[in-house]
Amino acid sequence: MLMRTLHRWPGLVLAALLFVTALSGAALSVFPALEAVQAPTVSDTLTVAELATRVQASHPGLEQIKRAPSGRITAWWFDGEQPGSAVIDPATGRDVASADPNPLQRWLTTLHRSLFLGDGGRLVAAVGALTMLGLALSGAWLVARRTGGWRRWFTRLRGPWAGRLHTEIARVAVLGLLLSSVTALWMSAETFELITVESASLHAPATVSGQTGRPLAQLDALRATPVAALRDLSFPAAGDPQDVFTLRTTQGMGYVDAGTGTLLAWQDLSLSQRVSDTMEMLHTGRGAAVLGLILGVMALGVPVLSVTGVLVWLAGWRTRPKLRGNAPAAQADTVVLVGSEGGSTCGFATTLAEALRRAGQSVHIAPMSGFVPARYRQAQRYLILAATYGEGDAPASAQDFLARLQALDAPPTAPVAVLGFGDRSFPAFCAFASAVTDAAHAKGWPTLLPFDTIDRQSLQDFARWGHALGKALGTPLELAHQPALPATETLTLVARQDYGSAVQVPMSILRFALPPTSRWQRLTGQGFTRFEPGDLLGIVPEGSPVPRLYSLASGARDGFIEIVVRRHVGGLASTQLTELEPGQTVRAFVRPHPGFHADHGRTPLILIGAGTGVGPLAGFIRHNTPGRPIHLFFGLRHPGSDFLYHSELSRWQAEGKLTELSLAVSRSAQPQYVQDALRQAAPQVIDAIHHGAKIMVCGGRDMARGVSEALTEILQPAWLTPAMLKAGDRYVEDVY
């Protein structure tokens, strides 16, 4: 909780500052690369003496030669009373470009370093660098926590697109942002003299030859210094026999006698100066153009991180319930403790509290992180609604709950019911809520209801649990939760295929036209611009604000929206959908479901489904590039009645998109279910698993349970289990 707070609020408060400094820094990273590309090539054997001779031949009043880390060589001179400067071609000693600073580069540098505010602006920029360091460190910790540890840094992500994009960019850019912020802080500390850098300095030489006029090419100290090591060479004043050359290189500085060419004095760079130079090189990219460009590209991630971070915060803020009528903790007879990450679980808690209040109870809602039983003096029951973060961790509002529970001398006397919220396609489905239940049992906390779960925020699951809770309380309880819906679009039915009437299970394949999309929707991926088979289509039926979710059998690139619907007795949405005629419309939205996407690799796929569960599986096959082995296990009642996608599956087999089809017919002379078909194909299944196959199951819970039991038997000789495959994201389910 603390780490999230340290990451969230500085990022939100200073987002604009970080936005400006990151963009200006990214733009500045281009200039060292341009300098390096434009700098004339210098021979490895060219010496400072030879370079100085060539430049002096073009500019007799030469006063100084400088070499930038990029390799660009510039010279300054006086022509009579007129000063001059230019970029020099080392091969000829002649001018090739102006040495004046690039106006745009100078403007960007001032913006980046001080925001045009002088020393005050430099201090603000330093605060920005310190903030970026804190954000990078806390962000790295949060990424590792979300992915399940440092070793799983690049594991596949799931969840809402804003959060996924935020994490994807962060885990690539974090090293660059750490480096940029540390070096910026060092340079700021130098500016404000918090760090003292001992620069190389020498006392004037005690004795000088006093000779003049010796050709530059004969000065031994300059002949011994390669141009590649040069920083700058300052010439003695004309007509002053006591003046000397001042030579600075990457190793240090020294004085050279103008008459004899001998090195009169020398001092190496101090350690602090070398560190300072390295810090400047790492931050600006001068002398390391490729590194500078890489850091610049990583800096471009900061504006995106700022936007996605704000979007993630807004999503949580919007879904966070606005508590009304929350009873004081000491007076409540029912305490609802909530563990939520993005805020959606809090919405369910609010619905629960309102229903309990209508039943005559006083209810207090609080985050699990604030669990202190002594505060709830009149509590008669505890209801815990807990989501799971990452790979089984506590969500934001449940930090330290388990530690607080463990530290109690005795458990609360009022009984507890734990309800977990999650997504069954995740390996760690409701793992934190399960851990809470285990800890409560171990502590001896009385149980009001057995542990239960809500899959993908299912309103039906929540209502079912509410009925069970009502029975336990001795009062009817209707939990009609109405979550905030995303914007819906009007979909027009263009085609339908009906099945199942002969076996009294009416079902239809419904195909809708893609709705028109705006340029903004295409740019941001909103609406129906981006979706894949396995994502969810939310249908809002007439007469109800509660959507029903159906797995998509098509993707955006197919040019249509397709679902498979079974008509349920009394089902509002399924009845309306199965009665639709071409030309009629429904209101709908897309909800991403990345946990049930077929990846784009070439390893085998084992698809298992029954009835309408074949819908997304058919979509995976439709999108398969020939060459990827796919084995479909499909359960149906009778081939002549409910063989969904019969002709399509035959065509896909002929096209090489489907390798093998195993049918399990439950109403035949020898009834069979998909788990039976799996056992018969056990050698093929094991072989596919050894070749990296991924198993994807879609359909009813009973079917999924039978499939899991069959796979447990099949995998046992290979020393594998379904749980092991789930942990490796090689066994995913979409069950209902």
Side-chain angles (χ1 to χ4, degrees):
M1 186 70 175
L2 176 62
M3 192 65 74
R4 279 198 191 89
T5 301
L6 292 175
H7 187 76
R8 179 185 298 122
W9 290 111
L12 289 172
V13 172
L14 297 178
L17 172 62
L18 299 177
F19 200 102
V20 171
T21 54
L23 280 181
S24 56
L28 285 170
S29 71
V30 176
F31 290 98
L34 290 176
E35 275 191 20
V37 170
Q38 295 170 357
T41 304
V42 177
S43 170
D44 293 337
T45 61
L46 183 65
T47 66
V48 172
E50 292 172 314
L51 173 64
T53 299
R54 294 172 185 177
V55 179
Q56 192 178 55
S58 300
H59 305 289
L62 184 62
E63 290 211 336
Q64 189 177 46
I65 298 174
K66 287 187 175 182
R67 181 182 180 276
S70 64
R72 188 178 76 160
I73 296 172
T74 52
W76 280 260
W77 64 86
F78 271 93
D79 187 359
E81 297 295 325
Q82 186 66 34
S85 63
V87 178
I88 299 298
D89 181 356
T92 64
R94 296 178 180 176
D95 308 354
V96 293
S98 171
D100 292 338
N102 183 304
L104 176 60
Q105 183 178 5
R106 183 166 50 190
W107 185 88
L108 286 169
T109 301
T110 306
L111 173 66
H112 185 71
R113 291 180 178 174
S114 66
L115 305 172
F116 301 104
L117 299 174
D119 286 343
R122 290 185 177 90
L123 183 59
V124 172
V127 170
L130 183 61
T131 301
M132 179 56 68
L133 177 61
L135 291 174
L137 291 172
S138 58
W141 187 89
L142 291 171
V143 168
R145 187 158 176 252
R146 176 171 181 175
T147 57
W150 300 102
R151 294 183 179 181
R152 303 187 64 192
W153 184 264
F154 288 106
T155 194
R156 183 183 178 190
L157 297 175
R158 294 165 173 166
W161 73 270
R164 281 187 290 117
L165 181 59
H166 190 82
T167 306
E168 291 282 10
I169 294 174
R171 61 185 179 180
V172 172
V174 65
L175 286 178
L177 299 180
L178 280 171
L179 183 59
S180 294
S181 56
V182 168
T183 53
L185 285 171
W186 175 280
M187 295 172 69
S188 295
E190 282 190 41
T191 299
F192 292 105
E193 299 182 349
L194 299 176
I195 294 176
T196 302
V197 177
E198 299 177 6
S199 59
S201 61
L202 289 173
H203 295 294
T207 58
V208 180
S209 69
Q211 302 174 21
T212 59
R214 189 179 182 91
L216 293 172
Q218 297 179 16
L219 300 180
D220 291 341
L222 302 186
R223 292 172 59 190
T225 306
V227 170
L230 178 67
R231 281 188 171 177
D232 68 74
L233 176 67
S234 297
F235 285 66
D240 184 354
Q242 298 301 310
D243 203 358
V244 294
F245 288 95
T246 302
L247 175 66
R248 298 179 188 272
T249 72
T250 55
Q251 301 302 314
M253 72 167 290
Y255 296 130
V256 179
D257 192 295
T260 64
T262 58
L263 190 63
L264 300 174
W266 179 262
Q267 181 174 320
D268 287 332
L269 293 178
S270 65
L271 176 61
S272 61
Q273 183 64 57
R274 292 178 185 276
V275 172
S276 177
D277 291 347
T278 301
M279 289 292 183
E280 183 177 359
M281 180 267 292
L282 293 174
H283 188 77
T284 64
R286 295 174 188 149
V290 174
L291 174 62
L293 286 175
I294 292 173
L295 293 179
V297 171
M298 290 182 174
L300 287 176
V302 172
V304 183
L305 290 171
S306 300
V307 172
T308 53
V310 170
L311 290 176
V312 169
W313 176 78
L314 282 175
W317 180 79
R318 287 169 179 165
T319 55
R320 195 171 294 120
K322 310 301 183 285
L323 298 180
R324 295 182 298 271
N326 201 31
Q331 300 175 17
D333 50 30
T334 299
V335 176
V336 179
L337 300 175
V338 187
S340 181
E341 181 65 28
S344 59
T345 306
C346 294
F348 282 89
T350 301
T351 298
L352 172 62
E354 290 173 351
L356 290 170
R357 290 188 189 106
R358 288 194 297 270
Q361 298 187 20
S362 60
V363 184
H364 177 77
I365 300 180
M368 293 175 67
S369 57
F371 174 59
V372 181
R375 296 175 58 202
Y376 313 121
R377 293 192 292 270
Q378 297 185 27
Q380 299 178 24
R381 66 197 63 84
Y382 291 87
L383 306 177
I384 298 178
L385 278 60
T388 296
Y389 178 76
E391 301 298 320
D393 292 328
S397 64
Q399 295 296 308
D400 299 327
F401 175 83
L402 291 176
R404 288 170 179 264
L405 177 59
Q406 184 65 33
L408 294 177
D409 294 332
T413 56
V416 65
V418 181
L419 181 63
F421 288 77
D423 185 330
R424 288 188 183 277
S425 65
F426 283 62
F429 173 66
C430 291
F432 175 69
S434 178
V436 169
T437 303
D438 293 342
H441 288 169
K443 198 68 178 177
W445 197 346
T447 300
L448 176 65
L449 279 178
F451 173 60
D452 208 340
T453 60
I454 304 296
D455 181 29
R456 290 184 299 180
Q457 301 182 27
S458 168
L459 306 182
Q460 294 87 346
D461 286 351
F462 190 54
R464 171 185 51 77
W465 181 81
H467 291 153
L469 177 62
K471 289 181 180 179
L473 299 179
T475 181
L477 203 61
E478 295 294 331
L479 300 183
H481 183 55
Q482 297 183 13
L485 293 179
T488 60
E489 302 273 359
T490 298
L491 301 186
T492 302
L493 186 69
V494 294
R496 62 178 294 156
Q497 299 179 54
D498 297 323
Y499 298 85
S501 58
V503 288
Q504 290 78 49
V505 185
M507 59 186 75
S508 302
I509 298 176
L510 303 178
R511 179 173 294 186
F512 299 90
L514 277 175
T517 55
S518 66
R519 184 172 301 176
W520 173 251
Q521 286 178 317
R522 291 192 293 272
L523 180 64
T524 58
Q526 297 178 4
F528 286 85
T529 56
R530 299 175 193 169
F531 60 91
E532 298 182 31
D535 284 336
L536 303 172
L537 182 70
I539 300 292
V540 183
E542 293 183 11
S544 172
V546 181
R548 306 300 193 271
L549 300 176
Y550 298 89
S551 296
L552 281 162
S554 63
R557 74 183 189 188
D558 294 318
F560 55 82
I561 301 164
E562 189 168 280
I563 57 174
V564 185
V565 180
R566 173 186 170 182
R567 183 168 184 168
H568 295 274
V569 177
L572 183 63
S574 65
T575 300
Q576 291 180 13
L577 285 170
T578 52
E579 291 179 352
L580 275 183
E581 296 295 335
Q584 294 182 317
T585 62
V586 293
R587 299 292 296 177
F589 60 89
V590 165
R591 177 178 292 175
H593 189 204
F596 200 70
H597 286 175
D599 54 49
H600 301 294
R602 297 184 64 83
T603 54
L605 277 181
I606 298 174
L607 306 180
I608 306 169
T612 57
V614 78
L617 310 183
F620 300 150
I621 299 169
R622 178 187 280 130
H623 282 210
N624 182 36
T625 300
R628 180 177 196 173
I630 294 183
H631 191 157
L632 172 63
F633 292 87
F634 181 23
L636 60 152
R637 288 173 171 79
H638 193 281
S641 177
D642 58 342
F643 195 162
L644 297 161
Y645 291 103
H646 185 185
S647 59
E648 289 89 345
L649 290 172
S650 298
R651 185 176 74 252
W652 292 333
Q653 275 191 288
E655 294 173 350
K657 293 185 175 183
L658 176 61
T659 308
E660 189 165 353
L661 173 63
S662 295
L663 293 180
V665 183
S666 61
R667 297 187 182 181
S668 63
Q670 296 181 330
Q672 192 179 54
Y673 298 93
V674 286
Q675 52 265 43
D676 302 318
L678 274 172
R679 291 187 176 95
Q680 291 178 358
Q684 297 165 267
V685 172
I686 287 291
D687 182 66
I689 294 295
H690 285 319
H691 284 84
K694 180 175 184 175
I695 300 173
M696 306 186 74
V697 182
C698 186
R701 291 188 180 182
D702 292 339
M703 180 274 299
R705 190 178 300 110
V707 166
S708 180
E709 292 171 356
L711 285 172
T712 299
E713 300 172 14
I714 293 169
L715 296 172
Q716 188 174 11
W719 298 95
L720 291 171
T721 65
M724 294 168 65
L725 294 181
K726 285 184 178 181
D729 200 28
R730 293 178 56 195
Y731 182 2
V732 295
E733 297 175 309
D734 182 10
V735 298
Y736 42 83

